[in-house]
Structures are given as structure tokens and as C-alpha cells.
Amino acid sequence: AFIISLAGPSVPGTDLLLQQNRRLMQAVNAPQEDIDLQVSLLDHLFPLVLNGKLDEAEQYVREVATEAYAEMTSAMQAQYGSAERFANLSVQAMLTQFTPWMLNFLRLNPADFWAQTSVPVLGLFGTLDVQVDAAQNAGPMEAALAEAGNEDGTVVVLPGANHLFQAASTGAVQEYAALPAEFTPDLLPTILDWLTEQGIIGQ
């Protein structure tokens, strides 16, 4: 009868994860060069794994890991033992993430489904959501609902809300457990007001 979407993606999984990695690292004040390296690594890997070029993907990760090892301090290198061991660990950590589920997620474009949705929709996002970036996803959801001819689609971005719709400071995942286990004050009123306006519940 209707849909209430809480931080629902509206862009392809590849785009979502690139921005997610960027926002996750920014939230913990990672150096910009580390952020750029991570995003570049994934941007290069996604087409390879999606096209089944796993040997090329593994070789690429090994090359990046070997370069990273060479730039480590002696103390950090000692923790891994050798460049080869660090490269092996990097390959294992990176490529084991690409499960069948993840590959499907990367290929999926949720906008294709929003563009077929005619029932009333309330799409909610938070400005401090580092997992499903509001600036990246709110507009595409609106555009897809408009493409569907949906006149009952509403998209709301709640200030200060993280991915779990808690009132957050940084939005970082590490912050979730430290925050009160309650929603940001405007979440439930926004939902109730929308349900009332749609006539789904009474005044």
C-alpha cells in the first residue's frame, strides 16, 4: 500500500560503495591521501571483478600492496614480516569481500525499481549518514519516482541523523554504540505526519 524507506540506496552499488568508503574514512579523519588511495583502488577493482577478471584483480591488489609496504615505516613492515606476506594478506582481505551477494549488490541500480514504484513513498535520509550518503541518493530517488509518474513520493533529509537515524556528531560507524539507543527527535514525527497527510492513518 505504501513504502517508507529508511536510508534506502538510489544509485548503483558501485557508486554507493565508492562514496561510502570516502565518507567512512572522512568520519574518522583519515588522511586525504589514504582516502584517495582506497577510492581509487575500489574504482579500479569493481570493473575487474564484475567482468570475472579475478587474476587481473589479484595482480592489481598485489601491486598496490607492494607499493604501500615500501612506504611503511620499519616498525610497520616488521609487523607483517615481508612485502609478499603483506600482499597476500591484502589480496585475501580485499577479494574475499566479493561474494555472490556483493557482486549482485554492485550490479544493482535501485533507481530502476524506484522508477516503477507507483504507491506512496516516503524516502528518509540523514545528513550524517556515511553509509548511504544523502547528497548522493536523495536526488536520484526523487528523479526515479518522478519518472514513475509517482505524485505521492516525498523525500526528506533529516539534519544530524546517522545511518541508524540517531542524533549523531560525526556519523562514524564507531559512534553508533556510544550514542543513545533512540531515534533523532524528528524521525517519528516526520513519519507520522506523512502517514496522516496520505490518509493512511487518521488525524
Side-chain angles (χ1 to χ4, degrees):
F2 63 92
I3 296 171
I4 297 176
S5 170
L6 297 169
S10 305
V11 297
T14 50
D15 296 345
L16 183 99
L17 286 188
L18 290 177
Q19 180 65 356
Q20 183 183 100
N21 274 264
R22 186 179 291 112
R23 289 290 307 274
L24 284 168
M25 295 180 74
Q26 288 172 342
V28 295
N29 297 312
Q32 187 60 45
E33 61 185 292
D34 291 350
I35 297 173
D36 293 342
L37 177 62
Q38 175 73 357
V39 172
S40 175
L41 172 66
L42 293 176
D43 196 30
H44 191 93
L45 272 181
F46 287 160
L48 293 177
V49 296
L50 287 174
N51 288 301
K53 299 179 180 180
L54 298 183
D55 289 343
E56 289 184 41
E58 178 176 338
Q59 181 60 32
Y60 176 68
V61 173
R62 287 189 181 281
E63 291 172 0
V64 172
T66 301
E67 292 175 5
Y69 182 86
E71 296 178 2
M72 290 179 183
T73 64
S74 298
M76 291 181 65
Q77 288 180 345
Q79 292 179 11
Y80 294 104
S82 68
E84 182 180 5
R85 182 170 182 271
F86 179 69
N88 289 338
L89 290 171
S90 298
V91 167
Q92 182 179 12
M94 183 61 69
L95 297 186
T96 54
Q97 297 179 52
F98 296 107
T99 61
W101 183 94
M102 179 58 73
L103 293 174
N104 187 61
F105 178 82
L106 292 172
R107 293 187 180 100
L108 186 71
N109 184 0
D112 294 339
F113 300 96
W114 290 123
Q116 301 173 52
T117 303
S118 58
V119 298
V121 173
L122 172 62
L124 294 164
F125 299 92
T127 58
L128 291 181
D129 187 343
V130 298
Q131 293 183 251
V132 178
D133 183 72
Q136 181 188 46
N137 288 272
M141 179 181 283
E142 289 180 321
L145 291 172
E147 183 180 341
N150 193 323
E151 297 181 356
D152 294 310
T154 303
V155 176
V156 178
V157 178
L158 301 179
N162 65 13
H163 186 62
L164 304 184
F165 291 91
Q166 298 164 292
S169 298
T170 68
V173 173
Q174 295 86 341
E175 190 180 50
Y176 294 172
L179 295 170
E182 57 189 34
F183 292 129
T184 184
D186 48 1
L187 176 67
L188 294 180
T190 299
I191 292 174
L192 291 173
D193 288 347
W194 181 81
L195 289 170
T196 302
E197 290 168 5
Q198 292 294 323
I200 296 167
I201 62 174
Q203 295 285 346

